[in-house]
Amino acid sequence: MKERKILLEHGSGGRLSHELIQEIFLPLLRNEYLEKLEDGAVFTGGGGRYCFTTDSFVVSPVFFPGGDIGSLAVHGTVNDLAVMGARPLYLSAGFILEEGFPFDALTTIVCSMADAASRAGVTVVAGDTKVVPRGAADGIFITTSGIGVIEYRRNLSAGSVRPGDAVIVNGTMGDHGAAILVVREGLRAAALVSDSAPLNELVACILAASPNVHCMRDITRGGLTGILKEIALSARMDMMIEEAVIPVAPEVRGVCEMLGLDVLTIANEGKLAVFCAMEDAAQVLTAIKDHPLGRNATMIGRVEAKGTGRVILKTHFGGLREVDLPSGELVPRIC
Amino acid sequence: MKERKILLEHGSGGRLSHELIQEIFLPLLRNEYLEKLEDGAVFTGGGGRYCFTTDSFVVSPVFFPGGDIGSLAVHGTVNDLAVMGARPLYLSAGFILEEGFPFDALTTIVCSMADAASRAGVTVVAGDTKVVPRGAADGIFITTSGIGVIEYRRNLSAGSVRPGDAVIVNGTMGDHGAAILVVREGLRAAALVSDSAPLNELVACILAASPNVHCMRDITRGGLTGILKEIALSARMDMMIEEAVIPVAPEVRGVCEMLGLDVLTIANEGKLAVFCAMEDAAQVLTAIKDHPLGRNATMIGRVEAKGTGRVILKTHFGGLREVDLPSGELVPRIC
């Protein structure tokens, strides 16, 4: 029997990532926190509710239009906390450096982390640095973990999604992934810029606008399709999404078409999906649009009914297409 | 001017690690938590005190006598929490995998993490997996972060160390590093086994034995010399250590001599140094010796007086030798 090996797709946020979690991590480490398959674990302490989350960052190239691995590592963890309804408080950062990595680049990256942390109102309180010999890593990898305090009274989770819920996104899809690809492939495309940004302030506005927000998720690896399908599966809800209203910048669409990629499976780093009660959708949408990170916010669809977790896309041409967890076409090292 | 680059020694836990922190991380990310230069950050929430810590693991080989990168990653973070006086509660784990890494090896490693976590009484509540292309990483890297609750009333920190304090270690030095080196160099040495172990239960016994424990540190990268010098510098205390009484297994001494390494700069993964009031030294030592992980515990010296942070070693031959942060002779990827 052929030995099974880890494939790039196991880190894609799509189907094989899902399988890896279901086959190895969940059964071996099984506990009530991991089983929820959320962006962070919620625990109680001293009467308060806290969220704890982690993400490793291996983006290539390390510097890209709109950010670098340092700001990305801060935003990624801040956003994971934010969508769990947690106000981010503390971050840790573990650095794995390749021998020979330039001091100047490291300095720029740590400056960028400091700026991003300051903007998001979090403090990097703990860290660690390892160095591996030349060839044993590619430049720099950063793992950030974060702790936040949850002040929203309602439990935000896929399990809280209800039939009739509105599905809202805060802006255009695919900007981060397209910006990385343009640099990596040396394309002469229009100046694309990553959307990497801290979403905690926007989330605070959303939660202040409605007591009936049910679930939020930042739309990173796997793209919009990936996270909608994940939530649909977790919630056992079927949903209908209007493809024509999903905001996509023309240049991003162009790059994806040129490279044969589905823009709805491409990572963002400053975008989220919000599931809220339909009667509050207008006020949530207004709150998002009032924030600089939400000007292009749109309601893109609704949760139809309890089901098996089907995500149906009403296409530009009026047809219906069921989407699955992304697989195959891969964009490795996007975050 | 020649561009400065990261050297292996920047990850050694010795002099250059210290410089990297002082030159880049501390000035750029400066805050009250990082400034303490402890193994973890202490924060308050809901009336309780908590500790938050992180460590990246890049050990090579991944499997070694006495453990693997999975158990090591759990023990390392559990121990960082424990020596801060925190009862470990929750861990997160970020995996960076190289394309082609065997499924079986990953399964073994995650099993090993699960066992180690269960033994230490902690729960792995959050995780992330990234995959990088072949050649962009060496097999598997794991970054664990941890949260623990502090129940000891006294503030454990280098700053709490006092003149006259006893310095106690819980056993033989260098076992982990020597075990790794024997495998890596293909030496035909006696069967050396890593001391990798969770120290939280032992620490609970220590803290129950005395209300006058001032500081603890697990003796990892940089070895005994490294952590004593770090504490001496942080505390601005001079200390005197009796080399002859420092426990070292004969086989470990042999391997280090064969490779020209100073056993006191070699990493351990189940050893700690305790600084406590001299009048409580006997009861602390008894408590340690009563625990399976402390049978070879010894008082190895004492804090002499306020000073500049000198660590003086009284040698086997009765001479005095001042030790500094380790530099030069390097053992990369030991943890």
Side-chain angles (χ1 to χ4, degrees):
Chain A
M1 199 183 105
K2 221 179 130 194
E3 189 189 34
R4 285 178 71 199
K5 290 181 185 299
I6 291 291
L7 307 174
L8 280 175
E9 199 181 332
H10 282 112
S12 68
R15 189 174 56 84
L16 289 194
S17 294
H18 191 79
E19 283 182 22
L20 189 65
I21 291 169
Q22 296 293 340
E23 190 176 336
I24 295 190
F25 293 111
L26 211 50
L28 296 179
L29 297 168
R30 186 173 291 284
N31 59 66
E32 56 180 317
Y33 304 95
L34 285 183
E35 273 166 7
K36 295 204 172 76
L37 296 174
E38 299 287 348
D39 276 342
V42 175
F43 66 94
T44 53
R49 281 195 304 155
Y50 298 87
C51 183
F52 183 29
T53 180
T54 196
D55 256 325
S56 293
F57 294 86
V58 299
V59 66
S60 170
V62 162
F63 297 99
F64 50 82
D68 61 38
I69 192 171
S71 52
L72 191 68
V74 170
H75 294 158
T77 290
V78 161
N79 293 350
D80 279 348
L81 292 173
V83 296
M84 293 296 293
R87 183 164 53 82
L89 299 173
Y90 306 109
L91 295 190
S92 68
F95 294 82
I96 297 172
L97 304 176
E98 183 187 12
E99 180 189 13
F101 192 72
F103 247 71
D104 286 355
L106 179 61
T107 304
T108 304
I109 288 163
V110 178
C111 272
S112 168
M113 293 189 82
D115 288 347
S118 164
R119 183 177 166 201
V122 292
T123 311
V124 181
V125 298
D128 180 53
T129 306
K130 295 293 189 316
V131 181
V132 297
R134 250 172 238 278
D138 185 13
I140 180 170
F141 301 144
I142 303 178
T143 301
T144 43
S145 301
I147 300 174
V149 59
I150 298 179
E151 285 150 351
Y152 196 60
R153 130 195 111 64
R154 184 181 282 273
N155 191 22
L156 294 167
S157 75
S160 302
V161 169
R162 290 289 166 266
D165 276 2
V167 185
I168 297 169
V169 296
N170 67 315
T172 53
M173 292 293 114
D175 300 52
H176 175 72
I180 295 286
L181 285 167
V182 162
V183 181
R184 201 188 290 167
E185 307 286 334
L187 296 180
R188 288 189 164 278
L192 294 187
V193 176
S194 167
D195 60 331
S196 178
L199 293 172
N200 52 321
E201 197 184 81
L202 173 65
V203 164
C205 296
I206 293 170
L207 298 182
S210 164
N212 298 308
V213 177
H214 297 153
C215 178
M216 293 183 287
R217 200 64 71 89
D218 54 337
I219 310 170
T220 56
R221 274 186 303 176
L224 181 63
T225 303
I227 73 109
L228 290 181
K229 183 67 185 176
E230 264 183 19
I231 290 177
L233 286 171
S234 277
R236 295 179 183 280
M237 293 282 164
D238 295 338
M239 53 184 87
M240 177 76 79
I241 305 296
E242 298 267 357
E243 188 174 17
V245 304
I246 300 172
V248 179
E251 316 83 58
V252 171
R253 193 180 296 283
V255 166
C256 288
E257 282 176 2
M258 194 183 330
L259 296 171
L261 296 167
D262 177 355
V263 68
L264 299 187
T265 66
I266 301 294
N268 311 271
E269 292 293 341
K271 297 292 156 42
L272 48 71
V274 182
F275 292 77
C276 69
M278 189 59 83
E279 63 267 28
D280 286 5
Q283 67 214 51
V284 167
L285 196 55
T286 302
I288 300 178
K289 280 174 173 285
D290 280 349
H291 191 276
L293 294 175
R295 295 202 204 291
N296 297 310
T298 312
M299 184 175 121
I300 60 166
R302 52 174 276 156
V303 178
E304 293 288 317
K306 285 192 183 179
T308 54
R310 297 176 71 194
V311 177
I312 308 291
L313 206 63
K314 194 181 284 180
T315 68
H316 287 283
F317 313 104
L320 297 181
R321 173 166 74 93
E322 183 171 351
V323 297
D324 205 348
L325 288 169
S327 66
E329 75 265 40
L330 262 180
V331 187
R333 300 187 66 184
I334 204 88
C335 57
Chain B
M1 200 183 107
K2 221 180 129 194
E3 190 188 36
R4 287 178 70 199
K5 290 180 185 298
I6 291 291
L7 307 174
L8 279 175
E9 199 181 333
H10 283 111
S12 68
R15 190 173 56 84
L16 289 195
S17 295
H18 192 78
E19 284 182 21
L20 190 65
I21 291 169
Q22 297 294 339
E23 190 176 337
I24 294 190
F25 294 110
L26 211 50
L28 296 179
L29 297 168
R30 184 174 292 284
N31 60 65
E32 57 180 317
Y33 305 94
L34 285 182
E35 274 166 7
K36 295 204 172 74
L37 295 173
E38 299 287 348
D39 276 342
V42 176
F43 66 94
T44 54
R49 281 195 304 154
Y50 297 87
C51 183
F52 183 29
T53 180
T54 195
D55 256 325
S56 293
F57 295 85
V58 298
V59 65
S60 168
V62 162
F63 297 98
F64 51 82
D68 60 38
I69 193 171
S71 52
L72 192 67
V74 170
H75 295 157
T77 291
V78 161
N79 294 350
D80 278 348
L81 292 172
V83 296
M84 293 295 294
R87 183 163 55 80
L89 299 173
Y90 307 109
L91 294 191
S92 69
F95 294 81
I96 297 172
L97 304 175
E98 184 187 11
E99 180 189 14
F101 193 71
F103 248 71
D104 286 355
L106 180 62
T107 304
T108 305
I109 288 163
V110 178
C111 272
S112 168
M113 291 189 82
D115 289 347
S118 164
R119 183 178 165 200
V122 292
T123 312
V124 181
V125 298
D128 179 54
T129 306
K130 293 294 186 319
V131 181
V132 296
R134 250 172 239 276
D138 186 14
I140 180 171
F141 302 143
I142 304 177
T143 300
T144 43
S145 301
I147 300 174
V149 60
I150 299 179
E151 285 150 351
Y152 196 59
R153 132 194 110 66
R154 185 181 281 273
N155 191 22
L156 294 167
S157 76
S160 303
V161 169
R162 290 287 166 265
D165 276 2
V167 184
I168 296 169
V169 297
N170 67 314
T172 53
M173 291 295 114
D175 300 52
H176 174 73
I180 295 286
L181 285 166
V182 162
V183 181
R184 202 188 289 168
E185 308 285 333
L187 296 179
R188 289 188 164 278
L192 294 187
V193 176
S194 167
D195 60 332
S196 179
L199 294 171
N200 52 320
E201 196 184 82
L202 173 65
V203 164
C205 297
I206 293 170
L207 297 182
S210 162
N212 297 307
V213 177
H214 296 153
C215 178
M216 293 184 287
R217 200 64 71 90
D218 54 337
I219 310 172
T220 55
R221 275 186 303 176
L224 182 62
T225 302
I227 71 109
L228 291 181
K229 183 66 184 176
E230 264 182 20
I231 290 177
L233 286 172
S234 277
R236 297 182 182 277
M237 293 280 164
D238 294 337
M239 53 183 86
M240 178 76 79
I241 304 296
E242 298 266 355
E243 187 173 18
V245 304
I246 299 171
V248 179
E251 316 84 58
V252 171
R253 193 180 295 284
V255 166
C256 288
E257 282 174 3
M258 194 184 327
L259 296 172
L261 296 168
D262 177 356
V263 68
L264 299 187
T265 66
I266 301 294
N268 312 271
E269 292 293 341
K271 297 292 155 42
L272 50 71
V274 182
F275 292 76
C276 69
M278 189 59 82
E279 63 265 28
D280 286 6
Q283 67 215 51
V284 168
L285 197 54
T286 302
I288 301 178
K289 281 173 172 287
D290 280 350
H291 191 276
L293 295 176
R295 293 201 205 294
N296 297 312
T298 312
M299 184 176 121
I300 61 167
R302 51 173 277 157
V303 178
E304 293 289 316
K306 285 191 184 180
T308 54
R310 298 175 69 193
V311 177
I312 309 291
L313 207 64
K314 194 182 282 180
T315 68
H316 287 283
F317 313 105
L320 298 180
R321 173 166 74 93
E322 184 172 349
V323 298
D324 205 347
L325 288 169
S327 65
E329 75 265 39
L330 264 180
V331 186
R333 301 186 65 183
I334 205 87
C335 57

